[in-house]
Amino acid sequence: MSDVLQSEKVHYKKMESTQTCYGRSHQNLEVMKAGMFLRKVKSRMWKRQRHYKLQEDCKTVAYKSSWAINSYSTFSISDVEDVREGHQSEMLLSVADEFPADCCFTLVFRGRRGNLDLVAESAEKAQAWIQGVRALMENIENMDESTKLDQWISDWFLKADRNKDGRMNFRETKKLLKMMNVDMNEEHAHCLFMRADKSKSGTLEDQEFVEFYKMLTERIEVLDLFQDYSSDGQILSQCDLEEFLREEQLEGEASYEHALQLIDRYEPSNTARMNHSMSIDGFLMYLTSPEGSIFNPERQGLFQDMSQPLAHYYISSSHNTYLMEDQLKGPSSVEAYIQALKRGCRCVEVDCWNGANGEPVVYHGHTFTSKILLKDVITTIANYAFKASEYPLIVSIENHCSIEQQEVMARLFRDILGNMLLRSTVDAKVVSELPSPEALKWKILLKGKKIGNESESLTDEVSDEDEAAEMNDCPASESPPTDAKKSKQNLCKELSDLMFCKSVHFQSFEHSRTSAKPNEISSFSESKARKYSKEAGSDFVLHNTRQLTRVYPSGMRTDSSNYCPLDMWNMGCQIVALNFQTAGMEMDLNDGLFTQNGCTGYVLKPEILCNRERLFDPEKPEEREDYHPLLFSVKVISGQQLPKVRQKERSIVDPLVRVEMYGVPLDQAKQETKYIDNNGFNPNWNESLQFTIHTPELALVRFVLEDYDTASRNDFIGQYTLPFTCIQPGYRHVHLLSKDGMSIHPSSIYVHIKIAEL
């Protein structure tokens, strides 16, 4: 038996003992597997018993209501991001008088899924779940690629083995193929089954199942490429691999040393490693690894200069951060701040209004959205501000409070944020330009209305976004301020003094050029920003080399939909605020842009948007001095293990790939492949798509997979978005994400990328 097969056998034995290993190490898991009634809390009035049970795969939790007979729902441990003990959620805090803290815990999920607040009958039972889930999460986090593969095989075996006898008969095999998104005729399926059934027992077990899995997942397109570069058709020597890296992956001088590193890292066979060579298994592991990904690993960590003025950076920004759903009647929650900050958001919004008992509240004014206390919002910001990034956090304040409650606001910001709060411009010594993200590390900057230095008046003009709050959000029964443009608001000096960024009404680009101070910031609605970009593109770009600009969604977007941020980024606008709670193309672009540079929430703008001497107009990219358009060629080769769209057993996807280009208007384009009938497991397209890129440094590429439907709109399968400048050429895998931006491992698209000057 070859080393590779022996390695697979060892993997399988490890897989076989995974569950018993879990059981020996963690008695808590045995308690979880036995199942337990836990009280699910959704509100002060809704607290119901549910039966929760860890499944045999030690990766899935099934739950059902006490009255349900067999209708279990499930969630995956890999979807859990955090386990909080005690009253550490708004929901559990609201019932703190009913349930002791040591019986309560919260499961926090990745993406946009809501928390699961649970109460156990005793502290001991709560700890079994708290410690058990944490242990399982740690195990998943520490898995290497080969262990993930073992787990994946194990999962399919457990799903296919319907009668739980540790073997898989042909009937179970046919059901497995449907589950795996494969539509294979019975004759071919039986042929594969017989080839794998070496013992002639009519069932598959142990190594036979591994062989069946290998036959299913054989990648002919990768094998062909491997043999093109292999001197003997069996292995890649270090020289063979170096040639592949130089010729196809365009790695250049360091490719010989890199070839040896890849062999050491990915080759499963000890013999091949000792001979400095790579088998087809090692080659496939490299291609599907982060190094073989389309995203250049060198751009994933912090690689940009962080010492330039703040105005030179794109800043990941959220609109009405407190909202979990729509803008009219949805809930406000501190959880929305936690989710945004953990995603790397560096500018959050707080809308402050007068509350009962002298306590300012946060909500969307003049609507039916629920209210939360400002002090809870500030406490949450203090706790989570620097969990994902050490670079400055801007808190954008819409202040609608009375003088008395503004004084309370000032005290809360000072007392809760303490030394994290940058005290006005005194700390930063703003002279001719804003300080850098590097100089402002670990600091929280407040942005809002501020009393002017030249006047001792305690009033200030209402800014654009405050006008929008007053006018767009007023129900028909209420009348907005009569002369909003000239309306003034009394300001509390203590609060005004805490503002680092001063919100000002935008008058004109000429006025800003001659009179604006570096810490003054204007807010534009999306429509006003678009108007200025069309009418005075170069002036807008120049303005944004010096001043911070904030753009926010139209007041008509009551459903919390988003506008395309690219139009604003093209102008150099830094704070392009989006509704983080709403999944879709717009948030994919935002996530894609900020995936680079260590996910810090800060990305250095291209030099063309920071240069004050040579003005750039996104509408006329061909007029720039160093205009060098590129030809971007994508060969979409194949797909791997795509998820089902509909969970019905007989439903199999008909996948197509669309490549979408975003950037300056000339670069906006979309092309797609044909669809493949009934194959979500290993579809092959082998189609080439080509794009001309006029401004590469502003371009983003979005790969979208859809399930083709003749009668209705195509269903979304997965997507991946990244900056054009972060793309690695050559043979690459595009690892797909869900609608919420979560990994759907091992789903991917295999592509060949070529970038050339026109």
Side-chain angles (χ1 to χ4, degrees):
M1 186 182 287
S2 73
D3 282 351
V4 171
L5 281 179
Q6 190 61 43
S7 164
E8 289 284 358
K9 195 165 186 176
V10 171
H11 287 342
Y12 187 84
K13 291 295 179 192
K14 280 196 297 179
M15 165 197 96
E16 200 179 37
S17 64
T18 300
Q19 283 76 37
T20 53
C21 170
Y22 277 145
R24 286 196 303 269
S25 305
H26 305 285
Q27 290 180 343
N28 296 322
L29 301 189
E30 295 306 316
V31 174
M32 293 168 69
K33 283 182 184 178
M36 186 186 297
F37 276 102
L38 299 168
R39 196 177 294 275
K40 180 179 178 180
V41 181
K42 289 179 77 173
S43 71
R44 277 195 69 85
M45 304 300 293
W46 199 103
K47 298 162 290 213
R48 295 181 187 171
Q49 293 274 16
R50 294 281 182 267
H51 191 259
Y52 290 84
K53 184 177 180 181
L54 180 66
Q55 300 299 281
E56 285 301 313
D57 64 0
C58 283
K59 285 181 66 181
T60 311
V61 174
Y63 59 96
K64 66 173 181 176
S65 46
S66 50
W67 46 266
I69 301 170
N70 288 317
S71 56
Y72 271 94
S73 300
T74 62
F75 65 82
S76 172
I77 295 290
S78 60
D79 291 337
V80 179
E81 186 175 65
D82 192 16
V83 184
R84 298 187 202 150
E85 292 186 56
H87 300 142
Q88 287 203 62
S89 73
E90 286 170 311
M91 208 56 68
L92 290 177
L93 277 169
S94 73
V95 294
D97 55 341
E98 274 185 78
F99 303 110
D102 59 5
C103 292
C104 299
F105 62 99
T106 301
L107 300 185
V108 181
F109 291 95
R110 300 177 194 280
R112 294 173 176 84
R113 181 173 175 171
N115 294 347
L116 180 57
D117 293 303
L118 297 168
V119 182
E121 289 174 2
S122 68
E124 187 183 10
K125 289 181 176 179
Q127 280 301 314
W129 278 85
I130 290 165
Q131 292 176 23
V133 173
R134 282 177 178 163
L136 292 168
M137 288 168 64
E138 186 181 356
N139 182 72
I140 291 168
E141 203 172 305
N142 294 334
M143 276 186 190
D144 58 23
E145 289 303 314
S146 67
T147 315
K148 280 180 186 170
L149 179 65
D150 299 340
Q151 192 68 53
W152 199 76
I153 300 172
S154 172
D155 290 347
W156 282 119
F157 188 90
L158 287 164
K159 284 178 188 172
D161 184 17
R162 293 293 178 93
N163 60 5
K164 304 301 174 198
D165 62 354
R167 302 164 180 233
M168 195 171 72
N169 59 36
F170 182 59
R171 188 177 169 200
E172 289 171 328
T173 303
K174 287 195 293 180
K175 292 197 169 181
L176 171 72
L177 292 171
K178 294 284 186 191
M179 282 192 282
M180 287 177 130
N181 239 337
V182 183
D183 185 26
M184 190 179 286
N185 69 53
E186 191 161 326
E187 189 179 341
H188 184 44
H190 195 256
C191 178
L192 283 182
F193 183 87
M194 295 302 290
R195 279 168 58 195
D197 181 20
K198 298 283 198 297
S199 63
K200 307 299 178 193
S201 64
T203 60
L204 303 181
E205 52 187 313
D206 292 1
Q207 185 64 26
E208 291 175 339
F209 181 71
V210 174
E211 284 300 307
F212 179 75
Y213 160 80
K214 287 188 74 175
M215 280 185 243
L216 270 181
T217 55
E218 189 173 44
R219 300 274 303 273
I220 301 298
E221 73 280 22
V222 174
L223 183 61
D224 288 346
L225 179 64
F226 176 85
Q227 290 178 335
D228 283 347
Y229 282 89
S230 169
S231 304
D232 62 0
Q234 300 298 310
I235 59 157
L236 290 175
S237 66
Q238 187 178 353
C239 287
D240 294 340
L241 184 54
E242 186 242 348
E243 185 185 0
F244 169 77
L245 294 175
R246 196 179 62 249
E247 295 290 322
E248 298 291 354
Q249 311 297 70
L250 305 183
E251 288 197 6
E253 295 302 314
S255 44
Y256 190 73
E257 290 76 15
H258 192 213
L260 192 55
Q261 290 168 6
L262 293 180
I263 290 166
D264 286 341
R265 207 167 291 151
Y266 300 110
E267 177 50 52
S269 160
N270 291 329
T271 308
R273 272 201 313 278
M274 286 169 63
N275 291 329
H276 292 181
S277 58
M278 185 178 264
S279 65
I280 180 63
D281 290 47
F283 187 60
L284 183 56
M285 283 185 79
Y286 152 62
L287 285 177
T288 54
S289 76
E291 284 184 90
S293 155
I294 191 170
F295 199 111
N296 185 346
E298 290 178 7
R299 288 179 170 259
Q300 280 184 318
L302 186 69
F303 73 97
Q304 293 182 331
D305 175 12
M306 300 302 282
S307 62
Q308 296 191 32
L310 270 186
H312 287 195
Y313 296 84
Y314 295 124
I315 303 171
S316 180
S317 306
S318 156
H319 170 249
N320 287 358
T321 314
Y322 47 88
L323 291 178
M324 298 287 283
E325 295 171 12
D326 65 65
Q327 307 280 314
L328 292 179
K329 58 187 187 313
S332 304
S333 171
V334 296
E335 290 295 336
Y337 286 94
I338 295 172
Q339 289 177 17
L341 291 168
K342 283 166 84 170
R343 288 180 76 162
C345 179
R346 294 287 85 195
C347 180
V348 296
E349 187 174 1
V350 183
D351 291 1
C352 303
W353 298 80
N354 288 333
N357 306 316
E359 282 271 16
V361 293
V362 174
Y363 85 115
H364 200 197
H366 307 301
T367 68
F368 298 107
T369 58
S370 63
K371 299 171 182 177
I372 49 178
L373 292 176
L374 175 63
K375 68 179 177 187
D376 292 343
V377 170
I378 301 173
T379 301
T380 300
I381 288 172
N383 290 337
Y384 287 88
F386 301 108
K387 293 270 189 197
S389 171
E390 60 194 11
Y391 288 98
L393 174 70
I394 300 169
V395 178
S396 179
I397 298 166
E398 262 191 38
N399 170 14
H400 304 277
C401 290
S402 65
I403 288 288
E404 293 75 24
Q405 293 211 10
Q406 286 182 50
E407 288 169 356
V408 177
M409 287 172 65
R411 176 170 51 76
L412 291 172
F413 279 116
R414 277 196 311 267
D415 293 353
I416 298 171
L417 298 183
N419 291 333
M420 287 188 283
L421 181 63
L422 189 72
R423 302 298 178 92
S424 187
T425 49
V426 180
D427 289 5
K429 297 184 175 61
V430 175
V431 185
S432 59
E433 58 188 12
L434 287 164
S436 68
E438 189 67 33
L440 296 171
K441 268 185 179 177
W442 310 109
K443 286 293 183 185
I444 295 175
L445 286 52
L446 301 188
K447 165 204 163 291
K449 288 173 286 194
K450 191 173 173 66
I451 299 163
N453 295 333
E454 68 286 343
S455 164
E456 292 306 310
S457 163
L458 297 186
T459 62
D460 188 48
E461 282 191 19
V462 175
S463 68
D464 279 12
E465 60 190 314
D466 295 319
E467 289 171 21
E470 295 293 340
M471 301 182 78
N472 291 337
D473 302 331
C474 271
S477 59
E478 297 183 28
S479 54
T482 49
D483 193 357
K485 287 285 179 194
K486 293 175 183 172
S487 65
K488 300 269 187 178
Q489 181 190 17
N490 288 326
L491 292 181
C492 153
K493 187 174 188 306
E494 289 83 355
L495 183 62
S496 172
D497 286 347
L498 297 180
M499 298 300 142
F500 172 76
C501 294
K502 180 182 179 181
S503 297
V504 296
H505 179 75
F506 179 76
Q507 296 184 33
S508 70
F509 291 122
E510 180 59 33
H511 179 269
S512 295
R513 190 159 55 246
T514 56
S515 308
K517 295 179 176 62
N519 66 317
E520 291 180 347
I521 174 170
S522 298
S523 290
F524 299 86
S525 68
E526 58 175 288
S527 54
K528 191 174 278 190
R530 270 198 207 93
K531 177 176 178 286
Y532 284 129
S533 68
K534 295 287 183 198
E535 294 175 1
S538 296
D539 289 335
F540 205 174
V541 169
L542 179 62
H543 173 85
N544 290 327
T545 62
R546 295 186 310 267
Q547 308 295 138
L548 288 176
T549 293
R550 182 172 180 274
V551 183
Y552 59 91
S554 159
M556 303 301 288
R557 294 185 183 274
T558 54
D559 59 351
S560 293
S561 60
N562 281 309
Y563 56 93
C564 180
L566 248 299
D567 303 337
M568 315 309 165
W569 291 333
N570 288 342
M571 294 292 137
C573 299
Q574 303 87 351
I575 301 175
V576 179
L578 297 177
N579 292 307
F580 268 48
Q581 71 271 35
T582 306
M585 172 272 290
E586 299 84 4
M587 273 307 297
D588 292 343
L589 294 175
N590 196 76
D591 291 343
L593 177 71
F594 290 104
T595 304
Q596 62 184 316
N597 204 37
C599 297
T600 57
Y602 283 84
V603 168
L604 187 62
K605 295 194 294 188
E607 198 272 338
I608 51 171
L609 294 179
C610 298
N611 192 319
R612 295 174 193 173
E613 307 303 320
R614 293 178 294 166
L615 295 185
F616 174 71
D617 187 344
E619 296 285 334
K620 303 167 186 171
E622 68 283 359
E623 291 182 4
R624 62 186 272 198
E625 278 184 27
D626 53 345
Y627 172 62
H628 296 296
L630 298 176
L631 185 65
F632 175 49
S633 304
V634 184
K635 185 178 185 184
V636 181
I637 303 169
S638 62
Q640 291 75 46
Q641 290 106 53
L642 307 180
K644 275 178 165 306
V645 172
R646 301 177 191 86
Q647 289 310 311
K648 290 178 186 168
E649 203 168 83
R650 295 188 173 279
S651 171
I652 294 173
V653 299
D654 304 325
L656 64 83
V657 177
R658 186 168 60 253
V659 180
E660 302 175 348
M661 294 299 310
Y662 296 90
V664 298
L666 266 178
D667 288 343
Q668 309 271 8
K670 296 177 184 180
Q671 291 183 42
E672 63 185 41
T673 66
K674 62 181 182 295
Y675 68 90
I676 305 293
D677 266 325
N678 284 344
N679 188 349
F681 190 72
N682 54 0
N684 271 270
W685 292 280
N686 281 312
E687 286 191 54
S688 295
L689 312 174
Q690 284 196 334
F691 302 86
T692 301
I693 312 293
H694 298 272
T695 313
E697 54 268 73
L698 287 175
L700 281 107
V701 185
R702 183 170 181 252
F703 293 84
V704 187
L705 246 100
E706 289 182 345
D707 178 15
Y708 176 77
D709 197 316
T710 49
S712 62
R713 194 174 175 181
N714 293 350
D715 288 314
F716 175 88
I717 296 175
Q719 68 83 30
Y720 188 78
T721 307
L722 76 165
F724 181 79
T725 53
C726 293
I727 288 177
Q728 294 198 100
Y731 286 94
R732 303 292 172 186
H733 279 83
V734 179
H735 297 283
L736 295 174
L737 304 176
S738 70
K739 193 166 279 188
D740 274 342
M742 299 294 106
S743 168
I744 43 178
H745 180 84
S747 303
S748 63
I749 321 168
Y750 179 50
V751 298
H752 182 261
I753 302 290
K754 194 173 179 184
I755 299 168
E757 284 200 9
L758 271 176

